[in-house]
Amino acid sequence: MTNKTVGILGGGQLGRMLAASASLSNIDVVILDVGENGPAKQVLSPRSSSLAHIDGSFADPGKIRELAQRVDVLTVEIEHVNADVLEEVQKIRSVQVHPAPSTIRIIQDKFLQKEHLLSKGCSVSEFVRVDSTVESIQDAAEKLGLPLMLKSRTLAYDGRGNFVVRDLSEARAAIDFLGDRPLYAEKWVPFAEEIAVMVVRNTSGEVRSYPAVQTVHKESIMHLVFAPVRSRDPAVPSRAQAIAEAAIATFEGAGIFGVEMFLMQDGTIYINEIAPRPHNSGHYTIEACETSQYENHLRAILSLPLGSTALKVPSAAMLNLIGLSSDMSDLSSVIDAAHLIPGATVHLYGKSECRKGRKMGHITVVADSDAQLSERLRPLLQALSSPQD
Ligand code: ATP
Ligand code: MG
Ligand code: MG
């Protein structure tokens, strides 16, 4: 048991599911985010009446200091936070910060993250530094070939910081699209599949990984997750877990991490990127694993024993509910369909506004076999492709 209070920077769906998990163990949570009633702040804490959340930005130094004064352990549900202030509060106040601010600082800059992984011998595909000039992108194209993936180093999510440069005539448009953020370029990776592994690391540095899953993206946004990954090569899942564990072992601090990877046709695995927090590819663990990614994150940062990461069902999938328009009712047919499917659980995130491309919820489906899983998923995918029926 613990009587520590946890502060979370960020109050979206990941904070919501973390707070929901905390409430099962009487763990109080204080959320820092803009808005009074975002997804995470809607979850009642055991002592909710005496514990007000904080309205403000998770990048605001004053607000982070205020949060640090009110809690025992600080954690994040988003990596785009102010790592300098986290370092300062860890030094001058008796608050623990997990994962370590140094880890967040490296990961939040994708170029530094890739350099870190390369320096530790982790498998990453080629990338180069670029300036925001057409000439610099031309140089990058000479080294990496075309197409290349131009990426914003910071503040990226759901592919919104990426631009595929297929021809050098697009270089100017790519720079304009990505705005004045610092950039870098990655070699185009013609992957066979995208896979991911959640890894939890405790305060003594022990790491444990969840099964490798397949992630399917649509327009750069995660659409579906299949657990476990189905692979023709039986060595792929354990190799993916070993690569993910080795990568997370190179970082400091405790918590759950999402490791996104590219699986090539010849079996080579490259790390795409790491998230220092719960991850969309780990939502399935709530219904499908012995211990969810959220519970294991809390156990890790509170120095409690880590829970088993094993699957407790033979087959599972997670389908994201992504806004089709400003009208949430466009998603009602898939939600209604899920209520009729055994093994399906609907999660809605309580967002006040629906927008096209915004993650509004997800559905997890568990099954006794891959065949049963396909059968259970079919009506959901049908409802998504014809929402007006
Ligand atoms: P997330 O929402 O996962 O944080 P992000 O905005 O950080 O996404 P990335 O993960 O870098 O973006 O890229 C989004 C998707 O774009 C990847 O999942 C993959 O499908 C594709 N992609 C990214 N990098 C490359 C690459 N170098 N070559 C080919 N495809 C890529
Ligand atoms: Mg990302
Ligand atoms: Mg990604």
Side-chain angles (χ1 to χ4, degrees), residues 326-378:
S326 59
D327 191 354
M328 181 73 187
S329 65
D330 284 352
L331 292 169
S332 59
S333 61
V334 61
I335 294 165
D336 293 346
H339 289 146
L340 302 175
I341 297 171
T345 307
V346 177
H347 294 251
L348 298 178
Y349 302 152
K351 295 188 180 178
S352 57
E353 259 177 76
C354 186
R355 280 197 299 272
K356 187 168 160 47
R358 192 174 196 201
K359 290 174 180 165
M360 303 305 294
H362 73 266
I363 298 169
T364 304
V365 182
V366 297
D368 293 333
S369 65
D370 291 350
Q372 188 185 57
L373 186 79
S374 302
E375 234 170 74
R376 290 179 172 184
L377 262 182
R378 197 173 307 117

Side-chain angles (χ1 to χ4, degrees), residues 42-75:
Q42 294 164 20
V43 179
L44 289 183
S45 269
R47 286 186 286 132
S48 60
S49 52
S50 59
L51 264 179
H53 295 303
I54 302 176
D55 298 340
S57 165
F58 44 72
D60 179 336
K63 296 288 180 181
I64 297 174
R65 289 185 194 113
E66 187 185 336
L67 179 64
Q69 267 168 350
R70 305 241 307 259
V71 302
D72 304 295
V73 181
L74 271 180
T75 191

Side-chain angles (χ1 to χ4, degrees), residues 79-80 110 113 156-159 260 272-275 277 279:
E79 57 275 31
H80 311 307
K110 286 180 167 188
Q113 184 192 140
Y157 72 101
D158 289 347
E260 299 177 14
N272 169 27
E273 62 163 344
I274 292 176
R277 52 166 169 81
H279 190 260

